[in-house]
Amino acid sequence: MFDIAKRTALGAVILMLMPAAVWISGWLWVPGENPSVLRPLYWVTETVSEPWGILTTVILCGWFLWCLRFRLKPAIGLGVIIVAALLVGQYAKDFIKGEVREPRPYVAWLGTDHQMNVGEFYAQKSKLRGKQVKEILGDDVQIPHWLNKSWQNDTGYAFPSGHTMFAATWALLAIGLLWRRKHFKTVTVLMVWAVVVMGSRLMLGMHWPRDLLASVGISWILVTLACWLTERYVGPLTPPPAEKQEIRERD
């Protein structure tokens, strides 16, 4: 358990470096960034958004199972643990959002620059909030149309970040489950992907740096527990002797 917690904690610290640096720097989101920069970030954030997040989950689940080479029954158990960790994270995110009720950066901007009452905005149902965003930004040329539509579909509270929690959970699962099998490329790709997802949430006006930090912390707790359950009830994370030869050949 301690070895798992140590590995995943190191991964969590690495993921926290970017939002911590942004927070310390005092950087604040403002609209009007170059669309050629924002659009690729939007595509990255969409890998986590519905419905593409489901496809991402299926692909990554399949890849993890292939990397770990578990037999059918343990593979099913691992799949259940991974999906449970993702779902618990999302339910925890929804509960915390409802308790903290922190406005998103773009909503705070609408309140200051467009004289929108933020309290009344969040008192409405989701569809009415989206309609209000559309009406306010109908003629605002500094907001790209696709970002306008994204805001209309994502009018909830900010703290914590569900997108960050999803991506960070996968990245930390890679460290917890695949590091001993030396799938370093997979770990690196998922860590970079998670950081870019987090950066996209900042640049698109969806989250504050503290939202990302809290989300990574929650993900670390869930992943550490998930990896411990996997090792205890599903199968060892240390590669068996037959697989060690394959790892040496791959290296």
Side-chain angles (χ1 to χ4, degrees), residues 30-43 140-148 203-204:
V30 291
E33 292 288 341
N34 190 336
S36 63
V37 174
L38 294 181
R39 194 62 187 264
L41 292 175
Y42 172 74
W43 292 335
D140 196 323
V141 295
Q142 67 178 327
I143 306 299
H145 173 72
W146 53 267
L147 183 55
N148 188 332
M203 295 295 291
L204 296 175

Side-chain angles (χ1 to χ4, degrees), residues 1 4-5 7-8 78 81 85 172-178 221-233 235 237:
M1 179 67 172
I4 292 172
R7 288 202 312 276
T8 54
L78 175 62
I81 290 173
L172 296 178
L173 280 171
I175 292 176
L177 298 175
L178 303 182
I221 295 171
L222 293 173
V223 168
T224 301
L225 179 59
C227 292
W228 176 77
L229 290 173
T230 299
E231 191 163 52
R232 184 175 178 84
Y233 296 106
L237 299 180

Side-chain angles (χ1 to χ4, degrees), residues 22-87:
V22 172
W23 196 1
I24 293 171
S25 73
W27 178 88
L28 293 175
W29 174 84
V30 291
E33 292 288 341
N34 190 336
S36 63
V37 174
L38 294 181
R39 194 62 187 264
L41 292 175
Y42 172 74
W43 292 335
V44 173
T45 210
E46 282 294 283
T47 62
V48 179
S49 304
E50 294 182 7
W52 303 111
I54 297 174
L55 179 60
T56 300
T57 297
V58 171
I59 292 173
L60 289 179
C61 269
W63 180 250
F64 273 53
L65 294 176
W66 184 87
C67 290
L68 291 168
R69 310 295 175 84
F70 286 157
R71 295 182 181 275
L72 180 60
K73 187 175 180 180
I76 293 174
L78 175 62
V80 170
I81 290 173
I82 289 176
V83 172
L86 293 169
L87 290 177

Side-chain angles (χ1 to χ4, degrees), residues 29-32 103-116 118 133 136-137 140-143 147-148 151 204-205 208:
W29 174 84
V30 291
R104 294 187 183 276
Y106 85 84
V107 174
W109 170 70
L110 290 176
T112 56
D113 280 39
H114 292 266
Q115 292 74 52
M116 184 187 77
V118 174
V133 171
I136 292 175
L137 296 178
D140 196 323
V141 295
Q142 67 178 327
I143 306 299
L147 183 55
N148 188 332
W151 286 352
L204 296 175
W208 314 91

Side-chain angles (χ1 to χ4, degrees), residues 34 43 59 63 88 92 135 149 152 162 165 188 192 218 232:
N34 190 336
W43 292 335
I59 292 173
W63 180 250
V88 169
E135 292 173 351
K149 292 287 291 184
Q152 293 174 38
M165 206 174 294
T188 301
V192 171
I218 296 170
R232 184 175 178 84

